[in-house]
Amino acid sequence: MPLAVAVQMDPIERIRIAGDSTFALLLEAQARGHRILYYTPDRLRLYGSRVEAMAEPLSVKDVEGDHARLGEARLIDLSHFDVVLLRQDPPFDLAYITTTHILERIHPRTLVVNDPRGVRDAPEKLFVMDFPELMAPTLIARDRAAIDAFRAEHGEVVMKPLHGFGGAAVFKLGIQDPNFGSLFDLFSTAFREPWVTQKFLPAVAKGDKRIILVDGEAKGVVNRVPAGDDIRSNMVRGGAAKQTDLTAREREICLTIGPELKRRGLLFVGIDVIDGYLTEINVTSPTGIRAVKRLGGPDLAVAIWDAIEAKLGKP
């Protein structure tokens, strides 16, 4: 049965469809005959008890530069829809958090994917700390003495913003690194919140695996190998996608965290694993499903829509 689907995302004309997971979800929704309306976060609003958006009918085509056709914008009541795809990219700031508060008013009567409360309560570099036994040593702090002690214990480290995304502002520091003082000052000025200091994992040179979980189950994986002059494996930072398989340790990680993802309504999640260590749990707008398919893996857009339709009790 066709569904009424609204997608909240960043401007669709700016996306690069070859690697865009939201676009893959839209292609599959269209192939199933679902009706799609599109709006950007700035057009979401709460009017009394109604959650509304100025939205445009959307059709998509897998042709770069001619990938989206929009109809005439009209005001919609999102409570009348079957599904809202919450697919805007970070930053995970107060604007993003406000979006989750608004969409929470219609969920689960209208199924929001991912659950807006689940997204709000799972900042990606904090939620992962619920599973310290799966992680490399990690400190979240802005206190100089605490960071000094952590570096003394663990040697080479990586520092990154707590609410950073896309590999921005990720720095590797040596054991006695003359840049540390300046970097500490920079982070102290740039960020009011604590930041992440994590033991450096040299095996990142061989890749950082992105594992996609759908409703708590591992469904696909891609290995992202950083460029030779970078420690960041994000594909937007020059990382190269390579075919790979799950190891026994990675399956253990997925089995450990899967039930909690499912409990929180986090239906589409991408986790990052380096050398058998969990480093991040990405819940806002995970990527990777087009790379998995391109490298011979399953079409995870199919698995995600199967899971959505199952939750709605649709055939």
Side-chain angles (χ1 to χ4, degrees), residues 188-202:
S188 297
T189 302
F191 308 115
R192 294 183 61 191
E193 67 275 10
W195 54 86
V196 180
T197 307
Q198 193 166 61
K199 182 178 180 179
F200 175 65
L201 300 172

Side-chain angles (χ1 to χ4, degrees), residues 148-177:
D148 283 341
F150 185 88
R151 293 181 65 219
E153 179 180 0
H154 296 292
E156 291 185 318
V157 301
V158 169
M159 281 175 48
K160 54 188 175 181
L162 182 60
H163 298 301
F165 60 98
V170 177
F171 295 89
K172 175 191 172 187
L173 292 166
I175 294 172
Q176 292 182 324
D177 198 312

Side-chain angles (χ1 to χ4, degrees), residues 10-309:
D10 299 298
I12 195 167
E13 67 272 11
R14 300 180 191 171
I15 66 173
R16 299 179 61 185
I17 66 172
D20 194 277
S21 291
T22 303
F23 189 74
L25 292 174
L26 295 175
L27 283 171
E28 180 61 22
Q30 181 173 270
R32 294 179 183 224
H34 300 330
R35 179 169 63 94
I36 307 169
L37 278 88
Y38 150 88
Y39 67 94
T40 49
D42 57 295
R43 295 189 289 170
L44 177 70
R45 65 198 199 190
L46 180 63
Y47 182 42
S49 62
R50 293 199 303 273
V51 177
E52 301 175 335
M54 285 298 297
E56 298 151 287
L58 171 66
S59 62
V60 290
K61 183 167 55 172
D62 203 359
V63 177
E64 188 74 56
D66 187 25
H67 55 274
R69 296 289 174 92
L70 298 171
E72 184 176 351
R74 64 178 185 268
L75 185 64
I76 60 172
D77 182 339
L78 288 172
S79 69
H80 295 164
F81 279 68
D82 298 296
V83 182
V84 172
L85 298 178
L86 175 53
R87 290 293 303 172
Q88 74 191 77
D89 289 336
F92 188 68
D93 53 13
L94 282 174
Y96 208 122
I97 290 169
T98 300
T99 282
T100 68
H101 281 293
I102 294 174
L103 290 177
E104 189 178 358
R105 293 168 180 263
I106 59 170
H107 178 81
R109 184 174 63 256
T110 294
L111 179 65
V112 182
V113 179
N114 287 321
D115 182 321
R117 175 177 288 184
V119 169
R120 186 174 67 246
D121 291 349
E124 295 167 343
K125 295 178 182 64
L126 276 173
F127 178 32
V128 71
M129 298 292 281
D130 286 8
F131 306 97
E133 73 280 8
L134 304 178
M135 300 178 65
T138 302
L139 172 71
I140 296 178
R142 61 183 294 123
D143 176 68
R144 175 72 182 257
I147 297 172
D148 283 341
F150 185 88
R151 293 181 65 219
E153 179 180 0
H154 296 292
E156 291 185 318
V157 301
V158 169
M159 281 175 48
K160 54 188 175 181
L162 182 60
H163 298 301
F165 60 98
V170 177
F171 295 89
K172 175 191 172 187
L173 292 166
I175 294 172
Q176 292 182 324
D177 198 312
N179 292 305
F180 172 66
S182 294
L183 190 59
F184 179 87
D185 292 343
L186 177 63
F187 272 49
S188 297
T189 302
F191 308 115
R192 294 183 61 191
E193 67 275 10
W195 54 86
V196 180
T197 307
Q198 193 166 61
K199 182 178 180 179
F200 175 65
L201 300 172
V204 70
K206 298 179 181 178
D208 174 355
K209 289 189 180 182
R210 166 57 58 90
I211 303 171
I212 305 297
L213 293 96
V214 179
D215 207 20
E217 296 185 11
K219 294 292 186 179
V221 59
V222 62
N223 194 33
R224 303 170 302 172
V225 180
D229 59 351
D230 206 330
I231 63 166
R232 301 171 300 174
S233 58
N234 311 70
M235 285 181 274
V236 296
R237 305 292 175 187
K242 304 290 184 182
Q243 188 177 24
T244 190
D245 295 308
L246 291 175
T247 66
R249 166 66 172 176
E250 290 157 358
R251 293 185 186 280
E252 176 191 349
I253 289 171
C254 294
L255 288 172
T256 301
I257 69 173
E260 183 63 13
L261 301 180
K262 190 178 180 74
R263 186 187 72 80
R264 294 181 181 226
L266 299 171
L267 187 144
F268 175 16
V269 173
I271 68 170
D272 297 337
V273 178
I274 301 172
D275 196 25
Y277 290 102
L278 179 66
T279 60
E280 290 190 15
I281 301 176
N282 299 278
V283 305
T284 50
S285 185
T287 62
I289 65 178
R290 298 214 90 182
V292 170
K293 182 180 179 182
R294 186 173 66 252
L295 293 169
D299 186 344
L300 298 178
V302 172
I304 291 166
W305 276 109
D306 284 349
I308 290 171
E309 291 175 2

